[in-house]
Amino acid sequence: MVWLKVECPHDGSVKNLCTNFFRAVDDALGTDYQALYVKSRSSAESMLGDIARVSALHSVGVLVIDEIQHLEKSRSGGVAKMLNFFVTLTNVIKVPVLFIGTPKALELFQPTMRSARRAAQFGSLDWGRFSRAENEGADGEWERFFKRLWKLQWFEHATPISQEMMDLFWEYTQGIAHIAVAFLPQPGAGCCRRAGSD
């Protein structure tokens, strides 16, 4: 298995995260690990060895944990316990773990430097919004991104790019790439459309 993606449970429980690991493997391979390893009295810590065994058995290349911001300190026994679980997880399964989440997820890893360093041992990338150029006429991150994005219009006769258009997009998107892409003119949508509108 080159990679395995596991969704963080919406209820914020580390135990349910472990359950989701077995469910993801079962969905990908047609196995029955969830029934084998997840019992009513099982704890997250007791399932770590089983997760490591399954990861080694199927040669998992990278474990992707998505929506990590759903984990809650209260449901996981406190922030220290939850962070210790992640440190132990990366040590026991010996597989790179990629955490993906919104900026709210940063709150989970900030309390102790040790946990933040260990959780980010494979690298950490914080994608914030694009910054604008400080000097008029210069190109900052936003201007370079917007000029490339503007070439992707679907219209046969695309609206020419202008500083006013760039300023309008900045006003509505505040430099957030996902919103800017959703805001790009689409066929039959007029000049600009709000993200999520018809």
Side-chain angles (χ1 to χ4, degrees):
M1 233 184 207
V2 178
W3 58 272
L4 179 69
K5 178 184 168 198
V6 177
E7 291 281 336
C8 244
H10 66 277
D11 66 357
S13 162
V14 174
K15 178 182 176 181
N16 287 342
L17 175 64
C18 294
T19 303
N20 285 358
F21 169 86
F22 294 116
R23 184 177 301 132
V25 173
D26 291 344
D27 290 345
L29 301 177
T31 54
D32 201 19
Y33 290 123
Q34 184 177 351
L36 183 63
Y37 293 121
V38 180
K39 308 296 181 195
S40 60
R41 293 188 178 185
S42 299
S43 66
E45 291 76 15
S46 69
M47 287 189 271
L48 276 177
D50 300 324
I51 290 174
R53 192 174 304 112
V54 171
S55 297
L57 180 66
H58 296 290
S59 302
V60 176
V62 63
L63 176 61
V64 179
I65 302 179
D66 197 9
E67 305 293 349
I68 195 76
Q69 74 276 1
H70 287 173
L71 287 181
E72 292 181 10
K73 303 165 197 169
S74 57
R75 290 282 310 224
S76 303
V79 66
K81 186 175 178 183
M82 183 182 63
L83 292 175
N84 283 334
F85 171 80
F86 283 123
V87 170
T88 306
L89 174 71
T90 55
N91 288 338
V92 169
I93 68 172
K94 302 200 182 326
V95 170
V97 179
L98 176 64
F99 300 103
I100 300 176
T102 65
K104 185 180 175 187
L106 292 174
E107 300 170 10
L108 300 172
F109 297 103
Q110 286 176 341
T112 66
M113 284 304 294
R114 171 182 167 267
S115 298
R117 187 180 68 250
R118 295 299 294 276
Q121 63 183 318
F122 303 110
S124 175
L125 182 60
D126 179 14
W127 279 338
R129 67 182 190 164
F130 289 117
S131 59
R132 292 187 82 174
E134 293 181 14
N135 302 324
E136 193 172 325
D139 280 354
E141 291 176 324
W142 168 252
E143 287 78 11
R144 287 192 301 272
F145 167 77
F146 188 79
K147 286 175 182 177
R148 285 184 178 254
L149 178 68
W150 199 251
K151 294 176 183 177
L152 302 177
Q153 292 184 62
W154 293 9
F155 294 118
E156 186 175 331
H157 303 289
T159 305
I161 193 169
S162 66
Q163 186 61 46
E164 293 76 23
M165 188 63 68
M166 205 177 309
D167 292 342
L168 178 67
F169 267 73
W170 175 264
E171 181 183 337
Y172 281 116
T173 68
Q174 292 299 299
I176 299 171
H178 176 75
I179 298 174
V181 170
F183 200 74
L184 187 69
Q186 303 292 319
C191 174
C192 300
R193 65 182 179 86
R194 292 182 183 271
S197 64
D198 293 330

